[in-house]
Each structure stands twice: as structure tokens, then as C-alpha cells.
């Protein structure tokens, strides 16, 4: 990362002026605008999270959870999942998964119902997220807070604001993410998945093989269509034995995502749940809500909800919306989890 320029030093642009009298103010203005954009996105995502957890989507949520984790018992292992696991699921669920409502995506249903109530900035962000596809990117270079990415499946380079990723990722790393392209800002989602360089060969082979099968069933199919309909396959690969070949590159503590480790935690959670059920004679199926974490939640949301204790803070400092207050007029969104108290 480049050294921070001090106020009274010559401006890096070469104007001959001091930094404070030249580019410092422009950079501060740009930084303020970016912060405002992130706050707008935070508010938008909060609304989308709430919408996705409304009762009409209960059955879709359950089915999506099973599909994403590739296991019909996955709902029972809910407590084994960490904030990033849930954020990755949620990002896919609202953006790519087709619902029972005429096979429309939640993000599209939200846009139709709530779009007229959004601020112009939020509407721009929503439209960009509707178009963004989950793909596999390779990090070519880190320039300060900017990342230079190349799409390994659809080709093309992207210069994006990396934020926290610029501090943990290095050239050669892989990112499973969406590129959100706005007029004045290009960034990636907070639910991005960082993988080591060693994962590239196996993951590409796996995805390309599934793409060829998809093309056999869908005439003239392209990568865009495949990624929109089948992006859950990325997670299937990360959970599978195929990932064992490069798992040794993940050393604890590590910023890289360990899908097999997640699968092992889920298996242990299911075993513990069954042991508890037998010991306490808990009924086979009881309701327990699934609450999806936000990737950008503003401080104002935390303050507004403080009296309801809606938010908790993870060990990583991520603000997570907690269990929503029940509405007496309607059943709260839930996912059936065997052996868990409601």
C-alpha cells in the first residue's frame, strides 16, 4: 500500500503545490461521497433483508437453504454457520434464486414493490445489484484501496474499490464475488469469498464441466445465463472433496474461506442436535427462525432498533440484525430446524 501523503508535503500530482492546497480536498470530497454511497447501500440492503424474511417467502427460504448447502439436513445445522457463511447464502438467495412467485427473484420482486419508495441513489444501487453476476475473479494487483480483477469465466478486467480486501488479499488470490458497477463507483460485495491461488485449476475445471452440461440442455446458453441460474454450484464445489487438493494452503488463522471446514462444523452440529434430541426427548421438528446477517448496516439502524435489541455484534465487528420482533398479525418467517427450541 502506498505511503500516506502528509498535508504539507508536495502534492503527488506534480503541481508543485502543497498537498493540502491541491489534491487533498478533492480526495476528501471523493471519500465523503463514497461513504455516503455506502450508507445508502446499507439502508437499501437492510430493507431488502427485511423484505426477504417476510412470510410469503418461508417455503422459498427453506428450499434455498437446502439447495445452497447441498444437504437436505442443512437447516438443522444452522447454529454451526458463522456470519460470513450466512452472508454468502443471503447474497445468493436474494439475487439469484428463483422463487415460487412465478420464478421471479426476490430482488426483482422487491424492486417492483418498493422501488418507487427508494431514494434515487438507492435505486441506482438496486439496479446495479440486479445486474451483477456472481463470478470467479483473479486479483492481478492491489493499488492502495483499489483492486485490479480479471474475470476468469467471462474475461474482462475491473478496477474496483477493495476496502477491507485490499488489506488481506494479495496478487494471485481468487475472489468469488459480484462487481457492483455504479456511475461514480465500482466495488465488490461484502459477502465476497477469498480463495488461495491453488484453488484456481480445480474450481475452473469443475465450473466449466457444469457449464458444458448446461449448454447441452439450454441451446445457445452463455456464461451470463449459466451464472444467473447455477451460481450455487460454486458453494457445492467448496463443500466437496474436490477442494481437499488445495485445502492445505489454508492455514489457521487465514483469510481464505474453508468450505470443507464449514461442512465439518455442520456435520458435528447435526450429531450434537440428534444427541440432544434423544437425551431431552425433543420432538422431531420444531420451528426456529433463520435470521440473515447484513453486509452493510448503518449505525442509525442500530440506534433505531436498540430498544428492541435487534442487532448484535459478531467477533469480527460485523453488525448483524438479530431476531425480529414478532408481528401479532402474521407468522414470523421461519425455517424448520429439528430439535431446536422455538
Amino acid at each position: 500500500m502506498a505511503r500516506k501523503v502528509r498535508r504539507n508535503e508536495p502534492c503527488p500530482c506534480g503541481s508543485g503545490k502543497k498537498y493540502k492546497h491541491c489534491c487533498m480536498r478533492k480526495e476528501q470530497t471523493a471519500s465523503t461521497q463514497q461513504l455516503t454511497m455506502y450508507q445508502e447501500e446499507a439502508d437499501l440492503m437492510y430493507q431488502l433483508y427485511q423484505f426477504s424474511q417476510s412470510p410469503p417467502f418461508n417455503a422459498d427460504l427453506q428450499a434455498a437453504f437446502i439447495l445452497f448447502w447441498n444437504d437436505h439436513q442443512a437447516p438443522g445445522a444452522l447454529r454451526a454457520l458463522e456470519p460470513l457463511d450466512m452472508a454468502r447464502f443471503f447474497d445468493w438467495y436474494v439475487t439469484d434464486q428463483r422463487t415460487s412467485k412465478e420464478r421471479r427473484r426476490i430482488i426483482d420482486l422487491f424492486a417492483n414493490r418498493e422501488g418507487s419508495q427508494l431514494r434515487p441513489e438507492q435505486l441506482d444501487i438496486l439496479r446495479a445489484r440486479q445486474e451483477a453476476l456472481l463470478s470467479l475473479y483473479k486479483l492481478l494487483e492491489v493499488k492502495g484501496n483499489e483492486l485490479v480483477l480479471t474475470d476468469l469465466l467471462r474475461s474482462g478486467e475491473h478496477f474496483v474499490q477493495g476496502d477491507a480486501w485490499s488489506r488481506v488479499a494479495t496478487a494471485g488470490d481468487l475472489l468469488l464475488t459480484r462487481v457492483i458497477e455504479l456511475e461514480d463507483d465500482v466495488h465488490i460485495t461484502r459477502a465476497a469469498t477469498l480463495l488461495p491461488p491453488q484453488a484456481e485449476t480445480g474450481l475452473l475445471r469443475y465450473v466449466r464441466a457444469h457449464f458444458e452440461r448446461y449448454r447441452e440442455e439450454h441451446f445457445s446458453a452463455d456464461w451470463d445465463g449459466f451464472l444467473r441460474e447455477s451460481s450455487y454450484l460454486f458453494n457445492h464445489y467448496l463443500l466437496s472433496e474436490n477442494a481437499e487438493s488445495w485445502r492445505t494452503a489454508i492455514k489457521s488463522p487465514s483469510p481464505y474461506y474453508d468450505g470443507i471446514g464449514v461442512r465439518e462444523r455442520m456435520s458435528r452440529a447435526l450429531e450434537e442436535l440428534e444427541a440432544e434430541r434423544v437425551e431431552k426427548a425433543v420432538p422431531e421438528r420444531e420451528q426456529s427462525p433463520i435470521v440473515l446477517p447484513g453486509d452493510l448496516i448503518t449505525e442509525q439502524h442500530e440506534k433505531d432498533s436498540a430498544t428492541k435489541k435487534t442487532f448484535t455484534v459478531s467477533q469480527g465487528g460485523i453488525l448483524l440484525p438479530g431476531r425480529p420482533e414478532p408481528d401479532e398479525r402474521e407468522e414470523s418467517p421461519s425455517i424448520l430446524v429439528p430439535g431446536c427450541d422455538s
Side-chain angles (χ1 to χ4, degrees), residues 247-285:
R247 194 187 181 199
T248 54
I250 303 177
K251 298 179 180 179
S252 183
S254 169
Y256 298 126
Y257 190 74
D258 183 7
I260 293 179
V262 175
R263 187 192 69 196
E264 292 173 347
R265 292 203 313 270
M266 294 176 74
S267 295
R268 288 195 296 271
L270 288 170
E271 292 173 359
E272 293 169 359
L273 197 63
E274 176 61 17
E276 291 173 8
R277 189 188 68 78
V278 173
E279 180 180 355
K280 300 179 182 179
V282 177
E284 283 285 343
R285 296 174 68 84

Side-chain angles (χ1 to χ4, degrees), residues 299-308 310-311:
E299 292 182 2
Q300 188 59 45
H301 286 148
E302 183 186 20
K303 294 175 182 177
D304 291 344
S305 306
T307 56
K308 296 182 181 180
T310 306
F311 292 88

Side-chain angles (χ1 to χ4, degrees), residues 13-80:
C13 75
S15 65
K17 299 179 181 179
K18 289 185 178 180
Y19 178 55
K20 66 181 180 181
H21 294 311
C22 191
C23 290
M24 186 179 79
R25 291 182 181 178
K26 290 187 289 185
E27 291 177 359
Q28 288 177 336
T29 299
S31 178
T32 300
Q33 292 174 339
Q34 186 179 67
L35 179 60
T36 300
M37 185 278 297
Y38 284 156
Q39 291 172 338
E40 292 287 356
E41 187 168 16
D43 185 66
L44 169 67
M45 296 308 294
Y46 178 79
Q47 294 180 60
L48 182 54
Y49 295 160
Q50 297 301 310
F51 180 79
S52 73
Q53 295 178 82
S54 58
F57 302 116
N58 284 356
D60 292 311
L61 179 57
Q62 170 113 0
F65 202 77
I66 292 172
L67 175 61
F68 187 77
W69 296 108
N70 200 24
D71 187 347
H72 71 279
Q73 298 187 77
L78 183 63
R79 62 184 181 181

Side-chain angles (χ1 to χ4, degrees), residues 161-297:
Q161 292 299 315
D163 296 329
W165 295 111
S166 65
R167 296 191 290 272
V168 298
T170 58
D173 284 347
L174 308 178
L175 279 163
L176 276 173
T177 188
R178 303 177 196 273
V179 174
I180 310 300
E181 299 189 45
L182 302 170
E183 183 176 351
D184 299 319
D185 179 87
V186 181
H187 63 277
I188 60 178
T189 60
R190 293 295 181 92
T193 304
L194 185 66
L195 301 172
Q198 293 88 334
E200 180 177 343
T201 301
L203 183 49
L204 284 177
R205 183 188 303 116
Y206 178 88
V207 175
R208 286 169 176 162
H210 279 276
F211 175 57
E212 290 304 319
R213 294 172 194 157
Y214 182 83
R215 290 181 64 183
E216 292 175 0
E217 299 174 0
H218 301 82
F219 181 70
S220 299
D222 59 12
W223 276 106
D224 285 12
F226 171 76
L227 292 174
R228 179 65 72 205
E229 299 296 330
S230 308
S231 58
Y232 60 87
L233 289 172
F234 287 123
N235 202 54
H236 286 193
Y237 173 83
L238 296 178
L239 296 170
S240 73
E241 297 298 331
N242 294 313
E244 283 285 4
S245 61
W246 50 266
R247 194 187 181 199
T248 54
I250 303 177
K251 298 179 180 179
S252 183
S254 169
Y256 298 126
Y257 190 74
D258 183 7
I260 293 179
V262 175
R263 187 192 69 196
E264 292 173 347
R265 292 203 313 270
M266 294 176 74
S267 295
R268 288 195 296 271
L270 288 170
E271 292 173 359
E272 293 169 359
L273 197 63
E274 176 61 17
E276 291 173 8
R277 189 188 68 78
V278 173
E279 180 180 355
K280 300 179 182 179
V282 177
E284 283 285 343
R285 296 174 68 84
E286 294 186 5
Q287 289 190 347
S288 180
I290 173 174
V291 179
L292 307 175
D295 65 350
L296 286 172
I297 301 297

